[in-house]
Amino acid sequence: MLLTADVDTLYLGEDFFGLRLPHSFKRSEVAEIVQLAHAAGKKVTVAVNAIMHNDRIAKVADYLDFLAALQVDQITVGDPGVIYLLQQKKLNLPFIYDAEVLVTSARQVNFWAKHGASGAVIAREVPHDELTEMVTELQIPGEIQVYGATCIHQSGRPLLHNYFNFVKEHQDRADRARGLFVSAPHKPETHYSIYEDFNGTHVFANNDLNLITKLAELNDLGLTHWKLDGLFADHDQFVNIAQIFVAAKKAILAQKWTPDLVEQLDGQVGANQPANRGLDTGFYEIDPSEVQ
Amino acid sequence: MRTIINKPEVLAPAGTLEKLKVAINYGADAVYIGGDAYGLRTRAGNFSFDQMREGVAFAKAHNAKVYVAANIVAHEGDVQGAGKFFRTLRDIGISAVIVSDPSLIEIAITEAPGLPVHLSTQASATNYETLNFWQNEGLERVVLAREVGIEEIKEMRRHTNVQIEAFIHGAMCIGYSGRCVLSNHMSMRDANRGGCAQNCRWKYDLFEMPTMGEKQTETDPKTPFTMSAVDMAMIEHIPDLVEAGVNSFKIEGRMKSIHYVSTVANVYRRAVDSYCADPDHYVLNQDWVDELWKVAQREMSTGFYYGTPTQDDELFGKRRKRPQYTFVGQVLDYDAKRQVAMVQQRNNFGVGDKVEFYGPHFTHHEEVIQQLWDKDNDILRRAPDAMMVYQVPVDIPVKAGDMLRKERAK
């Protein structure tokens, strides 16, 4: 369905190697998707961006061989151990550096470029005013998230189950589908998503990111790799949202980007947002000097 | 008799020059400090270059090392001047910098050749190939993520010979260090640039919310949800850490007091020496454990070393009881002829108080204070003024640098 929505690249993976994925795909499924995508002239990025412990790094080499044989277009990597393996194996498998919150400067991105990265996912905590400085120095494309949930914490501990066990209120489920949130003290209006999975416990920003109104600005900055995260989105609605962003891209390229259209598309994104999730522009419009 | 020749280093925090000297006097082989820039503890007393010079001179005289933490995750503009900063550290005689951001690592290596670089725990190194990567880049040492277990360290040792440093004592992040920006999003303070507001320790409501605003609470009303880790203490597992091949035992806490630093360094110095001198006949001394409890700020656990932490490794509900001690003073001098200690006051004490004296090399004794004079030999009942020097007659000789503490009234 996303292919028919005309996105350029599909992003997917399995939980053992990738972080916070909407679905964990088996190898046979990855193979099938790569075939479908390539037949449609689209690219596939596979997530290999987990924080790897020994038991996993031992299995990464084989997974990388598998992905290279499939001619996956690129992978995301956040652990230098995986980059070390790529260097040792000399595989033809381009990687995008994605260590989430850590990717905050051009100099850092360029360090990974020297180590073979073909791109980097810029941290959501980098505001527009810093992006303008960053783009002048970037030696490889910076990918920027324009829609979806922002992870703000990853723990190796099962924080929810530990809590349930402590209060002796046994609850089986603390997964993403359970739909748990936390609110900060004295701020009952806040709602940070929280769930557990194979990679630990994850906490997300108060609202999902929606930068549809900023796309022309990003385009002017040369930031044209837009990432949509469908972690909490409903299946069909996420396809709609992808279509809205594709329409936005086409309008910008055709120089038909008008205030009316922006308002219309922004409304459409909102209409497809899950009923229990808000939208905002995250750190994009924040003055860097406000962050202490 | 078997002995261990390559003893691991005991590495202590030093927020100030005074703490640096105390840590080394109490047995630290090395200390880590912060400079005026690029470090994560903006509120710890950070060192000017002149203070670093004095610290390095003191350390060298005691055969110890000084490392500087420069472990921010830099944004645009933050790394300006870093090359010069690292060259100055090298020329001052700093033994290594502790860095996590690859841009700063690159600057240190290319612009300050000869200055060893250690990877900070903020980079969350959790596997041997990551260690190999950084060794290949020219790093001397990797500080492991706190999520790594003893068996994992043994496995790493089979695949890499880079130096391994591991936390053995102190406060812990509840998440993978560096991979947490709760503070940025909740408090507009950058966790990775020294602003961490410790939001993990807040008390949260936990709820389901099928539609926006319609909360269905899952929180026990008496026990809010939180993400607060108890502290780490590996005193009971020194043999495991040594045998796993850890080269440096790191104590957390650049913000902590000289009471804390002296006590913790003293204990681990003793335990490491004891084990390495005769590993086959080593026994854990309960006094060491008791000593650590005297300065404990939270309950203690072994973190991830022996498996994934459970609810017992987090702070929920009411705090469990623990002994509470107050640091009351430091011995500046001792007059052996008159048997009088010159004590600089740090908290109120006086005649009738039972006080514990302790010093380097794990010397301890208790005395009830019988008399007290000010510096003009006027008789006093209490020593009320902070940093004032009082004369305290003692039965058992003490030394300059010894500390005094007393148990808090229950």
Side-chain angles (χ1 to χ4, degrees), chain A residues 2-4 38 53-54 86 96 102 111 115 124 137 139 142 147 160 162 175-176 179 191 193 210 214 241 260 271 288:
Chain A
L2 284 167
L3 290 174
T4 58
H38 285 175
H53 284 254
N54 291 341
L86 286 168
I96 296 172
L102 298 176
F111 173 90
H115 291 78
R124 289 77 172 153
E137 302 290 333
Q139 291 165 1
Y147 171 80
L160 291 165
N162 285 352
D175 61 350
R176 181 160 43 95
H191 37 72
S193 280
N210 174 21
K214 311 295 177 190
I241 286 167
D260 283 351

Side-chain angles (χ1 to χ4, degrees), chain A residues 100-122:
Chain A
E100 302 255 328
V101 303
L102 298 176
V103 188
T104 51
S105 74
R107 176 115 196 205
Q108 192 205 131
V109 169
N110 294 342
F111 173 90
W112 296 113
K114 281 177 212 154
H115 291 78
S118 58
V121 183
I122 299 168

Side-chain angles (χ1 to χ4, degrees), chain B residues 72-336:
Chain B
I72 60 161
V73 178
H75 284 236
E76 292 306 320
D78 288 345
V79 301
Q80 231 167 9
K84 190 171 174 221
F85 176 76
F86 288 133
R87 282 194 297 280
T88 308
L89 298 189
R90 179 194 61 193
D91 298 342
I92 285 173
I94 294 297
S95 294
V97 283
I98 307 165
V99 190
S100 88
D101 186 320
S103 66
L104 284 166
I105 290 173
E106 184 180 62
I107 292 168
I109 286 177
T110 57
E111 297 184 32
L115 176 67
V117 179
H118 296 175
L119 186 74
S120 164
T121 195
Q122 294 299 117
S124 284
T126 51
N127 68 74
Y128 49 83
E129 299 296 14
T130 296
L131 272 57
N132 286 328
F133 176 89
W134 289 115
Q135 185 177 34
N136 204 33
E137 291 299 307
L139 273 66
E140 176 183 73
R141 180 185 292 183
V142 172
V143 187
L144 297 180
R146 294 184 185 87
E147 285 75 10
V148 173
I150 287 282
E151 290 305 318
E152 290 181 297
I153 299 176
K154 289 184 191 166
E155 178 72 11
M156 286 175 178
R157 261 287 155 259
R158 287 192 274 275
H159 295 272
T160 178
N161 58 7
V162 73
Q163 290 181 24
I164 291 178
E165 179 175 310
F167 277 91
I168 58 160
H169 197 89
M172 284 182 280
C173 289
I174 192 95
Y176 281 96
S177 289
R179 298 294 189 106
C180 172
V181 286
L182 292 176
S183 176
N184 305 47
H185 286 259
M186 295 180 180
S187 303
M188 287 292 267
R189 301 172 61 100
D190 191 341
N192 286 328
R193 284 186 291 175
C196 179
Q198 303 214 15
N199 307 65
C200 56
R201 299 198 190 273
W202 287 3
K203 291 177 166 57
Y204 294 87
D205 252 345
L206 176 67
F207 52 91
E208 285 181 13
M209 189 175 69
T211 59
M212 187 60 83
E214 186 201 329
K215 290 188 187 179
Q216 298 170 1
T217 190
E218 296 293 326
T219 316
D220 181 317
K222 294 188 295 294
T223 316
F225 175 73
T226 184
M227 303 183 272
S228 188
V230 304
D231 290 352
M232 179 186 284
M234 285 296 283
I235 186 61
E236 296 179 24
H237 307 280
I238 294 300
D240 285 357
L241 289 164
V242 176
E243 299 301 334
V246 178
N247 303 96
S248 177
F249 289 5
K250 186 170 209 158
I251 299 162
E252 178 276 342
R254 277 193 278 147
M255 313 274 283
K256 301 260 170 55
S257 66
I258 57 171
H259 179 213
Y260 181 91
V261 170
S262 59
T263 302
V264 178
N266 215 4
V267 166
Y268 283 102
R269 168 81 282 143
R270 195 70 170 181
V272 168
D273 285 351
S274 175
Y275 181 72
C276 293
D278 186 5
D280 297 328
H281 299 96
Y282 172 84
V283 268
L284 172 75
N285 183 339
Q286 185 58 35
D287 289 348
W288 304 336
V289 181
D290 295 346
E291 189 71 4
L292 292 174
W293 277 107
K294 292 176 186 172
V295 292
Q297 300 186 324
R298 302 184 181 92
E299 292 84 65
M300 297 188 278
S301 87
T302 56
F304 281 77
Y305 281 115
Y306 300 98
T308 303
T310 69
Q311 62 271 22
D312 297 332
D313 302 283
E314 289 183 51
L315 293 165
F316 293 119
K318 284 206 179 105
R319 296 290 185 83
R320 283 157 268 180
K321 285 262 185 292
R322 58 178 196 276
Q324 300 266 356
Y325 281 75
T326 304
F327 174 41
V328 297
Q330 183 178 15
V331 177
L332 296 186
D333 203 0
Y334 175 64
D335 182 338

Side-chain angles (χ1 to χ4, degrees), chain B residues 331-371:
Chain B
V331 177
L332 296 186
D333 203 0
Y334 175 64
D335 182 338
K337 223 188 290 173
R338 294 169 57 223
Q339 282 190 277
V340 170
M342 308 300 285
V343 175
Q344 186 184 53
Q345 194 262 40
R346 296 303 179 102
N347 274 296
N348 192 307
F349 69 98
V351 174
D353 290 352
K354 187 160 87 174
V355 170
E356 180 189 345
F357 287 82
Y358 70 94
H361 310 294
F362 216 71
T363 58
H364 285 80
H365 80 272
E366 283 185 347
E367 291 198 23
V368 176
I369 294 184
Q370 307 289 354
Q371 296 180 76

